[in-house]
Amino acid sequence: MRRPVSTLPAELPSPFPPEASTRGQRRAVAATALAAATLGVLGTFLVVQMRAAGAGHGPTAASGSLPHFMSAVRQVEEPRTIAGHDVDCAAGNYSTKTLKLIAEQPLAGLLAGPPPANGRQRKEVLPPPSRFEASDVTGVAGSNEVFIVFDNTFRIGHVATGVPYMAAASGDKGADRRREVTPNRLLTWPNDDGAESEFEGLAYNATSGRYLVVQETVVNGTGTLVPRIHEVSLDGGEAKVHSTCDGAMAFESEKKGMEGAAIATAADGTFYLLALCEGNGCAKGDAGREPGGGRVLVMEREATGPRGCSWVVVQTVAIPPRAAFQDYASISIYENRRVAVVSQENAAVWVGELDLLDGRTDQATGQRSLFGLSGGELYDFPRNDHCARIFCNVEGVHWLTADTLIAVSDEMKSGGRQPFVCREHDQSIHTFQVPAPVPEAA
Ligand SMILES: *[C@@H]1O[C@H](CO)[C@@H](O)[C@H](O)[C@H]1NC(C)=O
Ligand SMILES: *[C@@H]1O[C@H](CO)[C@@H](O)[C@H](O)[C@H]1NC(C)=O
Ligand SMILES: *[C@@H]1O[C@H](CO)[C@@H](O)[C@H](O)[C@H]1NC(C)=O
């Protein structure tokens, strides 16, 4: 049967994999990971010490001083230690492992500014936002328009991605005309009082033509932190909410809940919501930062629950540990097979396969076996001249084509919590080309 875990009410399914589903086992896993991480940090420390000792003394001075200088600059630009995947820009595989930026626009350039001068005067209750804390993006694959959610406002951005040749090259004569009539605009949300939305996930249901908007965590009527999922239409100037259901689960922290969402179709043709946990093992704190424990919750909508409906976790899918990320920010699935999972902290994307499994239920855990994630390549967002992370706030990702990703970035953290080099690309929409695999040498 379903096993209780400390962070979830006893009757609910565990988001932890069956192999680590008891508290003791989870502790053991965490302790091992911590030991490994400590050794890793120690190793880095020793390397830095050795480099420092080498630079300026003895025969290695001439060759050692430049890398030492570069790493010193990088230390200043990246004062925090980020666990897990990193890049060696000098390794020789930079061009094949790094996403190529092909278009970018600050969101303020698309969505801020005065309301339209002509047309009917709409009662403008709220001033237009000046900050755009973008948290997820989605659209209809193949179209160059996307919707963006923000965690600081209920309003939803509707923009064209700004890659004009893609629409033109598609042979679709209507595309150019449609782009001209597409306003870059903010849709309103019913009864918006200007509060922060905590929107973190956005998924498109191609069958219904509706979108699922996920609030990371809300405090429900009995004081539990739950994710809240709204089913909406985004055709008009205002989002139309068809239903609102909570996730039948409990998170430990309001800042470490659900971070991304996508819809996938199982082998039997049933749709599920795939929601990404921000922390490793869906945990907060140090445990949540231990790389390699990425988790996707497979959720099914049930017609019962406190709001007349609820989303129930029926399976927890492990992201392959190759995605050794400190956090997980967004998921997008292209044509029900190609998956992208973004890490904000590591500034990288894991690209792998969605496997459709037999759907059977494990009697011991209550877990269904609907989806798997396998294979996988890691790609990094571009670094600066000192190999420092400059795409520090990517929170949303969407497959535009099989090798093109749209990403959106939140505002950089203030008060010295992030290096100044993070500013240039924050609060923006970016289009990236995923490098093609290098052909095998004949
Ligand atoms: C998508 O829409 C179809 C048709 O309305 C519906 O049956 C299905 O449950 C929806 N899937 C999700 C995950 O909302
Ligand atoms: C709050 O969430 C918990 C956990 O899902 C659930 O047991 C409880 O019924 C919910 N309360 C309300 C009022 O929705
Ligand atoms: C790039 O090459 C380095 C050195 O061979 C290797 O450690 C690293 O894993 C490679 N990067 C990726 C993303 O495969």
Side-chain angles (χ1 to χ4, degrees), residues 357-410:
L357 308 179
D358 58 17
R360 83 194 146 70
T361 304
D362 181 320
Q363 293 307 319
T365 61
Q367 288 255 324
R368 295 200 62 196
S369 164
L370 292 158
F371 300 102
L373 294 169
S374 63
E377 281 295 328
L378 293 179
Y379 297 98
D380 294 275
F381 293 114
R383 301 291 185 102
N384 73 3
D385 292 356
H386 304 128
C387 201
R389 293 176 178 87
I390 49 173
F391 287 85
C392 318
N393 300 94
V394 178
E395 288 233 344
V397 70
H398 164 67
W399 286 110
L400 188 67
T401 70
D403 67 354
T404 315
L405 287 169
I406 303 290
V408 292
S409 288
D410 193 355

Side-chain angles (χ1 to χ4, degrees), residues 220-222 224 226 248-249 306:
N220 78 4
T222 45
T224 305
V226 294
M249 56 196 307

Side-chain angles (χ1 to χ4, degrees), residues 89-151:
C89 291
N93 52 10
Y94 186 83
S95 67
T96 56
K97 299 295 173 194
T98 308
L99 302 172
K100 174 79 179 167
L101 182 66
I102 53 179
E104 181 173 69
Q105 180 79 38
L107 289 163
L110 297 169
L111 296 171
N118 54 5
R120 263 172 296 136
Q121 200 68 32
R122 284 233 329 271
K123 185 166 52 116
E124 194 65 47
V125 192
L126 298 166
S130 57
R131 290 160 47 242
F132 294 91
E133 298 183 13
S135 53
D136 206 2
V137 57
T138 201
V140 181
S143 107
N144 76 332
E145 291 170 28
V146 293
F147 291 98
I148 303 170
V149 288
F150 307 93
D151 56 26

Side-chain angles (χ1 to χ4, degrees), residues 205 207-208 212 263 271-273 311:
N205 184 339
T207 309
S208 62
L212 297 178
I263 289 174
F271 298 86
Y272 294 88
L273 174 63
W311 288 91

